[in-house]
Amino acid sequence: MKVSYFPGCTLKTKAKELDKYAYKCAEVLGVTLEEIENWQCCGGVFTTSKDEVATKLSSVRALKDAQKKEQPLVSVCSACHNVIKQTNHAMQTDAEFADKVNRYIGEDAYDGSTKVYHYLELLRDVVGFDTLKEKVVNSLKGKKIAAYYGCLLLRPNGVMQMDDPENPQIIENMIRAMGAEEVIYPYRNECCGGYVTMEKPEFAKKKSSAVIESAKKAKDIFEEIGFKEARTVRKNRQYYTYENFEISLDDVEGLDPYMEIEIALEDGSDYDD
């Protein structure tokens, strides 16, 4: 299987090893990452102003490139993935924004039809964690690993739809597939302060340190107040949207699959309205 690959700036500078092993792991799993030619920085953040078009053009050009090849678009960097997926969603749902973008780039119109995956979603939804488990050569058995999600993989949930934003499991499922034991801790999907690093470095340090300390202390706190591990609940959740509905399909180990359907209402209103 061939997929279009958007590496982003960080994976070509400070995180070259991550880029390198993304390629190597994909190859072992039967996936070829085809890096997009002449890609440009995604902008690092999705601006919510509808009049702000220029910072999103790089994402649209990458999406169009993948569309022409009839391939999904994959990224490893959580910031790149967030910007690209939110831009793609805007092209699908905001006709005014899409019109401005397409007139600006002056090429064949893009309609938002490219499938966008984070590398984790590629492993879960395309390759499958069972296949990943079969391909493991050096098992991580005996290791305890605490996953960190942060803000950008999960939010806004209505757009990203990667996992349950409050209790995600995708990284933990990958950890188990590689033989290790996952560590669940309170701050695993809290902000690290990354976007204020330059302006308020001490604040960013405080936020990041809180995440690390949370991972270190989580199990100790429960044991100190008398809790004992009773069982481990393992759940896979897939999100879908239809009009104003959010639909989640849950597959809990040891139970039959089930579905939850929710709709967001404004304060003081009910569904009959």
Side-chain angles (χ1 to χ4, degrees), residues 8 18 32 71 82 102 109 116-117 120 137 161 183 187-188 208 213 216 219 221 224 227 237 249-250 262 266:
L18 185 56
T32 301
Q71 296 175 347
N82 186 281
N102 283 319
V116 179
Y117 289 114
L120 286 166
V137 176
Q161 297 183 17
V183 176
Y187 280 23
R188 63 197 175 113
S208 297
E213 290 303 312
K216 290 180 178 179
K219 186 176 182 181
I221 290 173
E224 286 177 7
F227 281 90
R237 169 170 286 187
L249 300 180
D250 290 341
E262 298 178 348
E266 296 182 1

Side-chain angles (χ1 to χ4, degrees), residues 78-178:
S78 58
C80 292
H81 175 66
N82 186 281
V83 173
I84 291 171
K85 191 151 188 177
Q86 289 210 67
T87 300
N88 202 43
H89 183 264
M91 295 297 291
Q92 295 169 346
T93 61
D94 190 332
E96 180 181 353
F97 172 77
D99 179 63
K100 287 181 179 180
V101 169
N102 283 319
R103 285 192 288 112
Y104 197 104
I105 61 179
E107 303 171 4
D108 295 336
Y110 175 67
D111 59 2
S113 60
T114 298
K115 180 68 176 178
V116 179
Y117 289 114
H118 186 271
Y119 199 91
L120 286 166
E121 294 174 305
L122 181 73
L123 295 178
R124 180 190 65 189
D125 301 336
V126 178
V127 174
F129 286 140
D130 288 340
T131 300
L132 174 63
K133 184 176 182 179
E134 293 172 0
K135 295 291 185 178
V136 171
V137 176
N138 297 312
S139 174
L140 298 178
K141 186 176 181 179
K143 301 288 187 180
K144 293 184 177 181
I145 301 176
Y148 178 66
Y149 290 86
C151 309
L152 298 177
L153 291 177
L154 304 171
R155 304 179 182 93
N157 179 54
V159 178
M160 304 309 292
Q161 297 183 17
M162 175 182 281
D163 207 336
D164 184 335
E166 299 301 326
N167 185 30
Q169 295 292 319
I170 185 171
I171 303 181
E172 285 80 4
N173 291 336
M174 181 186 72
I175 289 170
R176 288 195 297 272
M178 295 188 295

Side-chain angles (χ1 to χ4, degrees), residues 192-207:
C192 68
Y195 280 132
V196 296
T197 301
M198 299 300 293
E199 183 178 354
K200 298 180 179 179
E202 289 303 315
F203 178 77
K205 182 179 179 181
K206 180 180 178 181
K207 297 289 286 185

Side-chain angles (χ1 to χ4, degrees), residues 184-244:
I184 303 297
Y185 64 103
Y187 280 23
R188 63 197 175 113
N189 55 353
E190 294 295 322
C191 177
C192 68
Y195 280 132
V196 296
T197 301
M198 299 300 293
E199 183 178 354
K200 298 180 179 179
E202 289 303 315
F203 178 77
K205 182 179 179 181
K206 180 180 178 181
K207 297 289 286 185
S208 297
S209 296
V211 172
I212 296 171
E213 290 303 312
S214 174
K216 290 180 178 179
K217 294 180 179 179
K219 186 176 182 181
D220 293 340
I221 290 173
F222 282 108
E223 290 180 348
E224 286 177 7
I225 60 178
F227 281 90
K228 295 182 179 179
E229 184 174 339
R231 63 180 60 87
T232 300
V233 178
R234 296 188 171 98
K235 177 176 73 174
N236 288 319
R237 169 170 286 187
Q238 298 182 15
Y239 273 101
Y240 300 89
T241 58
Y242 175 74
E243 296 181 348
N244 294 330

Side-chain angles (χ1 to χ4, degrees), residues 259-270:
M259 177 189 300
E260 295 180 4
I261 302 176
E262 298 178 348
I263 185 171
L265 301 176
E266 296 182 1
D267 291 343
S269 63
D270 57 49

